[in-house]
């Protein structure tokens, strides 16, 4: 990204509270369907904040703590193995197809008020959280939608597998800060 990243020794460790409920249905050996719901509360989440330093024209990224954030959502996953021994020939006797798919929906919200938080600019005084973070905005790096699909060709005798993965992540905030044109 040709961007300079600056650490921040004034950051506070985040604290995470997590609740999750999960249901798993094992349809057959090596086959399952799962569903889960979750809620997370994070005190002092660390967020990337972009800025243009005085006397510079290049974008830099520093870090600050938002006061708190909440995430909630759900996930579903399915796994199925399909034996290939019915295709005929000795080659397929110990082979099977492996299909795994999952989808996760996550909603995240930063909670920011007028609390003072560390400035992302080293040496600068603390700033009001509302000047860096939009109350109710998403966390940096958190996509609303994530989907994964895996297709594999597996040999149960030699314990080998060839796998192809497909991933999708919806748009997400990469950092906070000014719009540079």
């Amino acid at each position: 990204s040709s961007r300079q990243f600056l650490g921040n020794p004034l950051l506070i460790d985040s604290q995470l509270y997590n609740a999750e409920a999960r249901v798993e249905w094992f349809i057959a050996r090596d086959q399952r369907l799962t569903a889960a719901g979750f809620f997370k509360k994070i005190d002092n989440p660390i967020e990337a904040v972009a800025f243009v330093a005085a006397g510079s024209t290049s974008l830099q990224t520093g870090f600050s703590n938002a006061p708190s954030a909440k995430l909630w959502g759900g996930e579903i996953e399915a796994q199925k193995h399909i034996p290939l021994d019915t295709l005929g020939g000795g080659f397929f006797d110990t082979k099977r197809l492996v299909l795994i798919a999952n989808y996760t929906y996550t909603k995240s919200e930063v909670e920011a008020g007028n609390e003072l938080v560390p400035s992302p600019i080293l040496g600068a005084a603390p700033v009001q959280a509302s000047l860096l973070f939009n109350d109710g905005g998403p966390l940096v790096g958190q996509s609303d939608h994530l989907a994964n699909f895996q297709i594999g060709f597996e040999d149960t005798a030699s314990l080998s597998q060839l796998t192809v993965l497909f991933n999708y992540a919806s748009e997400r905030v990469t950092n906070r800060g000014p719009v540079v044109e």
Side-chain angles (χ1 to χ4, degrees):
S1 66
S2 297
R3 185 175 299 163
Q4 183 178 12
F5 289 85
L6 306 172
N8 190 342
L10 300 176
L11 294 176
I12 300 167
D13 287 340
S14 299
Q15 188 165 10
L16 175 72
Y17 303 92
N18 181 50
E20 180 175 333
R22 176 174 297 275
V23 175
E24 298 179 336
W25 178 29
F26 294 91
I27 301 162
R29 181 179 176 90
D30 295 327
Q31 297 182 39
R32 69 178 184 273
L33 184 61
T34 64
F38 58 86
F39 175 82
K40 301 171 191 272
K41 182 177 184 324
I42 306 172
D43 290 336
N44 303 308
I46 298 170
E47 295 279 276
V49 180
F51 61 92
V52 177
S56 173
T57 59
S58 63
L59 199 57
Q60 298 179 352
T61 299
F63 298 90
S64 182
N65 291 103
S68 65
K70 292 179 185 174
L71 295 92
W72 63 93
E75 175 184 27
I76 56 172
E77 180 173 285
Q79 176 179 316
K80 177 144 180 83
H81 290 82
I82 302 169
L84 299 177
D85 57 353
T86 59
L87 294 178
F91 177 76
F92 292 104
D93 286 348
T94 59
K95 310 297 189 289
R96 65 183 183 176
L97 197 61
V98 180
L99 303 172
I100 302 173
N102 73 9
Y103 168 77
T104 303
Y105 172 78
T106 304
K107 178 68 175 172
S108 65
E109 290 183 359
V110 171
E111 297 174 344
N114 293 322
E115 302 96 323
L116 292 178
V117 296
S119 172
I121 301 171
L122 294 177
V127 297
Q128 284 185 349
S130 60
L131 297 176
L132 296 177
F133 308 106
N134 292 329
D135 194 41
L139 279 167
V140 166
Q142 184 63 58
S143 294
D144 286 351
H145 306 278
L146 293 171
N148 299 290
F149 179 70
Q150 173 180 329
I151 184 167
F153 182 73
E154 188 173 79
D155 187 331
T156 57
S158 67
L159 301 178
S160 62
Q161 184 178 37
L162 172 69
T163 305
V164 179
L165 304 169
F166 301 93
N167 306 85
Y168 168 78
S170 63
E171 291 183 354
R172 59 185 155 219
V173 174
T174 57
N175 61 35
R176 311 225 176 265
V179 175
V180 178
E181 297 180 16

